[in-house]
Amino acid sequence: MRATTIHAPFDMRVEDVPDPVVRDATDVVVRVVRACICGSDLWAYRGESARTPGQRIGHEFLGIVEEAGADVRGFRPGDLVVAPFVWSDGTCDYCAEGLQTSCPNGGFWGSVGSDGGQGEAVRVPFADGTLVKLPAEAASDDRLLTALLALSDVMGTGHHAALGAGVRKGSTVAVVGDGAVGLCGVLAARRLGAERIIALGRHTARTDIARAFGATDVVAERGEAAEAAVRELTGGQGAHAVIEAVGTEQSMRTAVAVTRDGGSIGYVGVPHGSGTGLDLSVMFDRNIALRGGVAPVRAYIPELLPDILDGTIDPSPVFDLTVGLDGVPNGYRAMDERTALKVLVRP
């Protein structure tokens, strides 16, 4: 089959690789119908996260089960499924607690020795604990398939940030970051009943999506100017709940500064350069809570799936460029140059 591999910074290739096969009785092989490029993939693309030359890449996909191992109970060939961005066994204590990202038998797509989502097919370990079945009729609905793909990462991650931030009915929320996760954080905040949602972002195409997703205000400034603008919008107090969806030192400083005393920050931006971004004395003095981390999206898919199926939420607008498998290297370039928000891949 053909799959995307990374060889060096800015060197993405689509190459012939061995076809995936069932190795263990709990495996399935999924033919990829939709995949995408994640903002976090750009850290590897830019050389800021180490990769082995030739390593697979991509952790968001949905597709059709082609083959199932003898011990797989929940799936059979022909099923349409979505995969969260990690696999998990579904039986350990962490999985039972809804923290599948800490499963001792789990792993990330595209890690050394595993298939990546940006290819024609993927071997899925522990299929019963990992995959979620989708309605068969969704396979013929292009918009719905695109929306459902967001369940593999960005929609669940935005939801995780909103929960960590303590978004509740009637609350005021600030969202730091106008990438796909930040935009899905806006959607999640609206779904949870936030009364006011302030989106921080400078790119009009993205903030237009934020408004469509439920943002009531947009702050285009950065740094101290952004902090002042949020304070002004909130009568000097700041937001009850703040979603941090970038992962840099500056974004975390902004998040702390715009949080209301007694408020909470839900952080899901992959940390890069944020080692000194937290002043614990400020957080201590102002009773600011910090919750978040890598999102256990497998725990959230069953909750979010019905709302996507009935149209209550539609994250599909975050995908603004579509490529075939051969176009994936150009898709990385477009996201790196910020001419695309999130690239959809159709193998």
Side-chain angles (χ1 to χ4, degrees):
M1 71 166 189
R2 297 166 70 244
T4 306
T5 56
I6 182 168
H7 291 262
F10 309 104
D11 184 1
M12 312 298 298
R13 306 178 194 177
V14 179
E15 301 180 305
D16 290 332
V17 300
D19 291 338
V21 296
V22 169
R23 297 180 190 169
D24 301 314
T26 54
D27 292 350
V28 303
V29 173
V30 172
R31 173 173 55 85
V32 177
V33 174
R34 294 286 187 278
C36 55
I37 301 172
C38 183
S40 65
D41 292 332
L42 296 179
W43 299 119
Y45 178 70
R46 296 165 180 159
E48 297 182 51
S49 294
R51 293 293 187 273
T52 301
Q55 189 173 335
R56 310 285 181 83
I57 196 166
H59 54 262
E60 301 161 283
F61 65 94
L62 59 75
I64 305 290
V65 175
E66 296 280 285
E67 183 181 1
D71 291 345
V72 175
R73 298 292 176 258
F75 305 97
R76 61 183 180 181
D79 285 342
L80 179 67
V81 295
V82 63
F85 63 80
V86 301
W87 71 79
S88 53
D89 62 22
T91 61
C92 72
D93 289 345
Y94 287 115
C95 287
E97 295 165 6
L99 195 62
Q100 289 88 345
T101 49
S102 291
C103 176
N105 293 312
F108 289 79
W109 311 113
S111 56
V112 174
S114 72
D115 295 322
Q118 294 161 18
E120 293 182 317
V122 175
R123 180 183 76 90
V124 178
F126 302 109
D128 286 325
T130 300
L131 299 174
V132 176
K133 189 181 296 185
L134 301 173
E137 56 269 23
S140 60
D141 187 329
D142 187 66
R143 183 210 58 79
L144 181 57
L145 269 184
T146 302
L148 291 169
L149 176 61
L151 290 172
S152 64
D153 185 349
V154 289
M155 189 64 234
T157 298
H159 179 67
H160 185 58
L163 293 179
V167 176
R168 61 189 185 277
K169 188 173 181 179
S171 59
T172 294
V173 181
V175 180
V176 181
D178 60 2
V181 170
L183 293 173
C184 285
V186 171
L187 199 56
R190 187 191 70 180
R191 177 180 175 274
L192 292 171
E195 181 176 323
R196 191 172 196 180
I197 304 172
I198 303 167
L200 282 71
R202 295 182 297 161
H203 302 84
T204 302
R206 299 181 179 203
T207 55
D208 285 348
I209 296 173
R211 289 189 184 278
F213 280 3
T216 55
D217 304 273
V218 169
V219 169
E221 293 87 354
R222 299 186 71 182
E224 293 182 358
E227 298 164 12
V230 174
R231 291 281 172 181
E232 182 176 357
L233 286 169
T234 56
Q237 293 187 342
H240 300 102
V242 177
I243 290 172
E244 192 286 311
V246 182
T248 64
E249 178 176 342
Q250 179 61 64
S251 63
M252 187 59 80
R253 287 187 183 277
T254 298
V256 172
V258 302
T259 304
R260 183 180 187 272
D261 288 14
S264 299
I265 299 168
Y267 73 106
V268 291
V270 178
H272 279 78
S274 58
T276 60
L278 283 177
D279 187 334
L280 292 181
S281 65
V282 171
M283 297 179 70
F284 181 87
D285 290 343
R286 296 175 50 214
N287 280 282
I288 293 174
L290 181 67
R291 305 183 189 93
V294 58
V297 300
R298 178 60 181 83
Y300 302 138
I301 293 175
E303 175 184 352
L304 297 172
L305 175 58
D307 282 2
I308 289 182
L309 293 175
D310 69 15
T312 300
I313 57 173
D314 178 12
S316 65
V318 302
F319 299 95
D320 61 345
L321 176 64
T322 299
V323 299
L325 200 53
D326 286 334
V328 169
N330 288 333
Y332 272 88
R333 188 176 304 112
M335 286 182 62
D336 183 50
E337 295 173 351
R338 298 183 75 86
T339 58
L341 168 60
K342 190 167 180 66
V343 175
L344 179 72
V345 181
R346 287 177 158 178

